[in-house]
């Protein structure tokens, strides 16, 4: 980590934590600027720099993150140590789906809980999805079972299943990537 | 080692580090369950494997019985160590372990349940001939409460049967206060514990908190490892503990330790446990308070003066090994003190101070032990308790242990978050602490008002 006064670098874990805090708050956006970093986290309807990913529209609000190094920018904020400023909003915060980070154009579907992964609604039945299956946000792609309690996992994104990352009957951890989806443009 | 070869640690922070260390010493594989906030924590890096069980909030991760059982089954773990706090004293985890043939490194669900109900625990103590404070049965309404309180004599303490550890209790000095407090406490307790049962006990103003460590194996052998004095508290949270107690005579020690063993035998207790007593310094009498069916935060002071590794013993007991030592072979040597270092601002009402630790250099020498999960650069998450480290010093006698603690705290380099070190330094220099003229209300009623801090 940088030791220069006012300089901050963030690990992925910290970014995740910041996202969660913003998601759970009533705030819509967070802007953080320091000597070497500009970070924007927000709950807007579109991600300004991102054309793809189908993030827009009223049915789905996504959390977006931009992180840019700003080598020349001197922090002009109230506090020289890079304190956070945020834009409070009076609208009530809704529960948000987890932040989406693109990887080579594919979008991961992550396990919302730890448990046993099942590809089919019941043993012997055909799987919910295969590679190539077209999915929309509300389609169930798999089940995760914890002590006989089954949870259906929704795709959360529109596109085609590109990759299946877990085997049937395997234990998955919280946030483990289950599938990759090639999003629809 | 007989059967246990893989343990799932269902906890975090310094106790997870402690348990993983004990597993390593015994040649056992350690798997630590982590929430998202603890993915890159020290326990996660020390264990043979870590697995992410849920988002940061404890109720979605460390408090989720089903998820922990699924994690144990999914990783082929033979046992679960619950640590302290979280699910350690929830019978549900122990029960579900039993159902799935996973060893629970702790007592039976039945013992947890019996001692978890503080009214039932009191009744069992009475039946065992152990002194208990003048108290009542369940009080159903304000009328019953006032009648019971007048019989016992004010001040009384109103307690939740489902509470314990300082939770769900309120000291009440007069009938009017009792009137105003009863319904609120009942509702709070119902909401917090799912059981609104309240009872009353006499409140001892000039008390010391004396607790006895016991170990019981699977074969009925129960021994004690002496007492600890945990009288330095704020809002029922212990700040400084020591072993042995500076005010317990050998005769009193024998009586209290025997009472503790009697209690454990009565309920056929297995694994590590602690029986807590109130010592009334005005009349020299001791009274049963409650029993904690888990390893305690302050267990290191007992380890330092007995040379016995309590967490390793817990694992061995769960593996159905008989205790490898007898009561007669237990030796007490010297004196040990523990200070809990919390990420709190002691001069701002002990406000929590999560955030990134910049400098972290605990003191180190042969008489100092530091139990911690922290390191320079570690981000102390806001979701859990604020314990950063436990500093334990040992000496041939109490004054040497105190001197060493002065040194240890003076040489603890810590920046980035606020800590309680300055407050502990202050307490350890006060004449009352040095001469032993303190009681459980000392910090809140004497020290804090004097230094002008917010209580």
């Amino acid at each position: 980590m940088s030791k220069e006064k006012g300089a901050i670098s963030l690990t992925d874990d910290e970014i995740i934590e910041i996202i969660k805090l913003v998601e759970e708050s009533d705030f819509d956006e967070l802007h953080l600027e320091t000597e070497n970093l500009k970070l924007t986290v927000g709950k807007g309807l579109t991600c300004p720099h991102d054309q793809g990913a189908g993030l827009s529209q009223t049915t789905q609000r996504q959390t977006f993150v931009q992180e840019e190094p700003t080598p020349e920018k001197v922090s002009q904020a109230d506090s020289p140590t890079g304190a956070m400023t945020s834009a409070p909003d009076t609208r009530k915060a809704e529960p948000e789906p987890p932040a989406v980070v693109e990887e080579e154009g594919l979008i991961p579907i992550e396990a919302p809980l730890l448990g046993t992964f099942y590809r089919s609604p019941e043993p012997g039945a055909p799987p919910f999805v295969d590679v190539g299956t077209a999915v929309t946000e509300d389609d169930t792609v798999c089940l995760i079972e914890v002590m006989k309690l089954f949870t259906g996992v929704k795709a959360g994104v529109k596109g085609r299943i590109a990759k299946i990352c877990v085997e049937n009957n395997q234990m998955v951890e919280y946030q483990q990537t289950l599938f990759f989806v090639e999003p629809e443009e | 080692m007989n059967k246990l070869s893989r343990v799932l640690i269902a906890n975090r922070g310094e106790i997870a580090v402690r348990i993983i260390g004990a597993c390593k010493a015994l040649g056992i594989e350690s798997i630590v369950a982590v929430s998202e906030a603890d993915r890159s924590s020290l326990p996660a890096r020390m264990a043979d494997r870590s697995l992410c069980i849920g988002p940061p909030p404890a109720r979605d991760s460390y408090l989720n019985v089903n998820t922990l059982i699924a994690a144990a089954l999914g990783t082929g773990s033979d046992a679960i160590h619950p640590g302290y706090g979280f699910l350690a004293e929830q019978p549900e985890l122990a029960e579900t372990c039993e159902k799935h043939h996973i060893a629970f490194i702790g007592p039976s669900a039945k013992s947890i349940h019996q001692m978890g109900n503080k009214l039932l625990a009191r009744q069992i103590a009475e039946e065992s001939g152990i002194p208990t404070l003048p108290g009542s049965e369940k009080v159903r309404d304000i009328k019953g409460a006032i009648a019971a309180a007048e019989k016992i004599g004010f001040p009384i303490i109103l307690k939740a049967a489902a509470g314990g550890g300082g939770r769900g209790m309120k000291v009440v000095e007069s009938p009017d206060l009792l009137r105003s407090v009863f319904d609120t406490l009942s509702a709070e307790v119902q909401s917090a514990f799912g059981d609104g049962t309240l009872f009353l006990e006499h409140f001892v103003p000039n008390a010391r908190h004396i607790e006895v460590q016991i170990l019981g194996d699977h074969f009925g052998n129960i021994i004690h490892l002496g007492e600890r004095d945990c009288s330095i508290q704020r809002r029922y949270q212990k700040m400084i503990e020591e072993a042995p107690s500076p005010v317990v005579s050998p005769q009193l020690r024998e009586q209290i330790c025997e009472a503790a063993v009697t209690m454990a035998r009565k309920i056929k207790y297995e694994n590590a446990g602690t029986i807590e007593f109130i010592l009334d310094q005005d009349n020299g009498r001791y009274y049963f308070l409650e029993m904690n069916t888990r390893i305690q935060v302050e267990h290191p002071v007992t380890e330092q003066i007995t040379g016995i590794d309590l967490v390793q013993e817990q694992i061995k007991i769960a593996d159905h090994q008989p205790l490898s030592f007898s009561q007669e072979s237990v030796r007490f040597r010297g004196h040990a003190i523990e200070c809990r270092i919390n990420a709190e601002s002691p001069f701002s009402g002990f406000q929590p101070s999560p955030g990134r630790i910049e400098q972290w250099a605990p003191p180190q020498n042969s008489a100092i032990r530091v139990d911690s999960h922290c390191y320079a650069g570690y981000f102390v998450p806001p979701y859990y308790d604020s314990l950063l480290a436990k500093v334990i010093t040992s000496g041939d006698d109490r004054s040497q242990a105190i001197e060493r603690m002065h040194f240890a705290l003076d040489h603890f380099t810590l920046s980035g978050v606020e800590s309680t070190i300055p407050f502990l330094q202050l307490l350890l220099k006060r004449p009352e602490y040095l001469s032993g003229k303190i009681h459980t209300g000392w910090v809140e009623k004497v020290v804090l008002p004097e230094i002008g801090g917010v209580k």
Side-chain angles (χ1 to χ4, degrees):
Chain A
M1 262 201 16
S2 174
K3 293 200 167 58
E4 303 151 35
K5 196 171 147 100
I8 292 178
S9 55
L10 295 171
T11 65
D12 288 343
D13 284 336
E14 287 156 35
I15 292 179
I16 287 168
E17 212 142 288
I18 291 173
I19 291 169
K20 288 244 173 284
L21 288 168
V22 171
E23 280 177 348
E24 286 159 15
S25 74
D26 287 330
F27 295 165
D28 262 36
E29 279 184 341
L30 172 91
H31 297 279
L32 168 65
E33 275 184 31
T34 68
E35 273 177 25
N36 68 328
L37 174 73
K38 178 177 164 187
L39 175 72
T40 303
V41 180
K43 293 192 237 182
L45 295 176
T46 54
C47 176
H49 291 262
D50 189 341
Q51 276 75 10
L55 296 178
S56 62
Q57 307 322 312
T58 49
T59 50
Q60 182 163 334
R61 286 151 56 89
Q62 288 284 349
T63 304
F64 61 89
V65 176
Q66 299 156 57
E67 190 183 331
E68 306 166 28
T70 54
E72 340 168 298
K73 192 154 187 142
V74 173
S75 173
Q76 24 188 275
D78 344 341
S79 158
T81 55
M84 297 185 188
T85 57
S86 43
D89 192 276
T90 51
R91 278 175 291 170
K92 235 175 93 169
E94 291 171 331
E96 299 284 351
V100 164
V101 177
E102 283 188 37
E103 197 180 351
E104 301 163 3
L106 299 181
I107 297 189
I109 300 175
E110 292 176 349
L113 74 171
L114 177 150
T116 307
F117 169 85
Y118 295 114
R119 289 196 54 200
S120 312
E122 52 197 34
F128 286 101
V129 296
D130 268 310
V131 174
T133 307
V135 293
T136 62
E137 291 88 336
D138 285 327
D139 287 337
T140 299
V141 292
C142 68
L143 296 179
I144 294 182
E145 174 248 331
V146 190
M147 308 303 292
K148 308 287 179 245
L149 296 166
F150 291 83
T151 302
V153 179
K154 298 209 188 297
V157 65
K158 195 169 179 194
R160 283 185 187 280
I161 301 288
K163 198 172 169 214
I164 303 171
C165 305
V166 185
E167 280 176 30
N168 195 38
N169 235 308
Q170 189 187 326
M171 182 186 70
V172 294
E173 298 182 27
Y174 174 70
Q175 286 181 334
Q176 186 169 340
T177 300
L178 305 172
F179 303 91
F180 277 108
V181 172
E182 196 178 323
E184 192 163 302
E185 287 300 314
Chain B
M1 194 48 55
N2 296 347
K3 299 175 306 195
L4 289 195
S5 59
R6 187 179 295 154
V7 172
L8 178 80
I9 293 111
N11 212 301
R12 60 172 305 282
E14 68 89 15
I15 196 64
V17 171
R18 178 80 184 84
I19 299 165
I20 293 167
C23 286
K24 285 187 193 295
L26 293 170
I28 297 177
E29 249 187 81
S30 52
I31 310 219
V32 66
V34 296
S35 77
E36 201 190 316
D38 289 327
R39 265 190 199 279
S40 53
S41 64
L42 184 57
R45 293 192 242 162
M46 279 176 68
D48 293 304
R49 182 182 165 181
S50 69
L51 73 167
C52 191
I53 56 167
R59 67 175 182 278
D60 299 319
S61 49
Y62 298 106
L63 291 173
N64 194 317
V65 173
N66 286 342
T67 297
L68 289 164
I69 298 286
L73 293 171
T75 53
S77 299
D78 308 302
I80 291 182
H81 197 308
Y84 53 66
F86 290 142
L87 293 169
E89 284 173 295
Q90 297 305 315
E92 209 196 327
L93 179 61
E95 262 160 24
T96 317
C97 280
E98 279 165 26
K99 204 162 37 163
H100 291 271
H101 308 291
I102 298 169
F104 179 75
I105 302 178
S108 64
K110 181 171 180 203
S111 296
I112 295 175
H113 170 75
Q114 283 176 310
M115 296 295 105
N117 182 323
K118 303 306 170 185
L119 189 51
L120 181 57
R122 217 188 108 88
Q123 288 163 1
I124 293 174
E126 276 170 0
E127 284 163 23
S128 315
I130 294 166
T132 54
L133 289 159
S136 73
E137 298 302 319
K138 169 176 178 164
V139 287
R140 293 173 196 287
D141 51 34
I142 188 65
K143 246 176 91 177
I146 292 188
E150 282 173 346
K151 201 159 156 230
I152 295 166
F154 284 93
I156 53 104
I157 179 165
L158 189 55
K159 284 185 171 181
R167 300 172 65 208
M169 45 186 72
K170 200 146 182 67
V171 179
V172 180
E173 283 95 350
S174 73
D176 285 332
L177 280 168
L178 187 52
R179 262 177 209 110
S180 68
V181 143
F182 186 86
D183 287 329
T184 327
L185 188 64
S186 188
E188 269 171 28
V189 151
Q190 174 69 44
S191 154
F193 308 116
D195 175 1
T197 304
L198 297 178
F199 67 103
L200 270 59
E201 273 182 345
H202 173 59
F203 175 71
V204 178
N206 186 15
R208 275 198 181 243
H209 173 119
I210 310 287
E211 60 186 40
V212 176
Q213 177 71 55
I214 60 105
L215 278 175
D217 69 18
H218 188 65
F219 306 96
N221 300 307
I222 295 184
I223 62 152
H224 72 80
L225 293 174
E227 86 283 2
R228 295 184 286 258
D229 189 314
C230 309
S231 305
I232 307 215
Q233 304 176 6
R234 173 189 166 260
R235 296 198 181 170
Y236 300 112
Q237 296 301 301
K238 299 165 184 170
M239 303 183 95
I240 303 176
E241 306 103 342
E242 58 186 305
S245 169
V247 302
V248 169
S249 66
Q251 296 89 328
L252 183 57
R253 175 168 299 119
E254 207 183 303
Q255 288 173 32
I256 286 190
C257 292
E258 199 185 301
V261 172
T262 301
M263 186 74 181
R265 281 216 177 98
K266 173 90 175 170
I267 59 171
K268 297 188 170 54
Y269 193 78
E270 247 180 79
N271 216 285
T274 296
I275 292 96
E276 297 187 338
F277 298 90
I278 285 288
L279 176 65
D280 187 337
Q281 298 187 99
D282 290 336
N283 63 19
R285 294 217 188 111
Y286 69 93
Y287 306 91
F288 171 80
L289 189 63
E290 58 182 73
M291 179 173 184
N292 298 326
T293 55
R294 62 174 192 265
I295 191 75
Q296 305 230 158
V297 175
E298 60 271 21
H299 73 272
V301 294
T302 297
E303 294 186 324
Q304 295 305 109
I305 66 166
T306 59
I308 292 168
D309 187 313
L310 287 168
V311 179
Q312 285 188 35
E313 293 306 316
Q314 281 193 289
I315 297 171
K316 290 195 260 182
I317 288 169
D319 193 35
H320 293 181
Q321 294 178 37
L323 285 175
S324 56
F325 42 85
S326 62
Q327 187 69 72
E328 294 69 44
S329 66
V330 175
R331 290 270 172 275
F332 301 98
R333 220 176 130 257
H335 203 100
I337 299 177
E338 174 183 278
C339 283
R340 299 191 192 188
I341 317 290
N342 289 333
E344 290 168 351
S345 307
F347 305 110
S348 307
F350 291 88
Q351 206 173 66
S353 175
R356 185 166 306 282
I357 294 175
E358 282 169 11
Q359 293 172 299
W360 178 269
Q364 288 187 53
N365 68 35
S366 59
I368 301 174
R369 166 178 165 178
V370 178
D371 283 20
S372 176
H373 59 295
C374 296
Y375 50 86
Y378 175 61
F379 185 82
V380 178
Y383 308 100
Y384 314 112
D385 69 61
S386 58
L387 183 63
L388 295 172
K390 294 161 6 191
V391 176
I392 302 109
T393 57
S394 316
D396 295 332
D397 55 34
R398 186 172 190 255
S399 40
Q400 193 178 53
I402 292 176
E403 207 181 290
R404 288 170 170 174
M405 186 58 83
H406 289 157
F407 176 90
L409 295 182
D410 290 347
H411 291 84
F412 200 135
T413 302
L414 196 175
S415 69
V417 297
E418 296 292 315
S419 86
T420 48
I421 289 176
F423 187 71
L424 293 160
Q425 286 169 313
L426 193 155
L427 290 177
L428 285 158
K429 298 208 158 93
R430 298 235 356 167
E432 311 97 296
Y433 177 76
L434 299 172
S435 65
K437 305 251 183 300
I438 60 145
H439 54 82
T440 49
W442 177 65
V443 169
E444 286 180 283
K445 299 201 160 73
V446 178
V447 180
L448 286 171
E450 242 181 68
I451 67 175
V454 179
K455 291 197 196 96

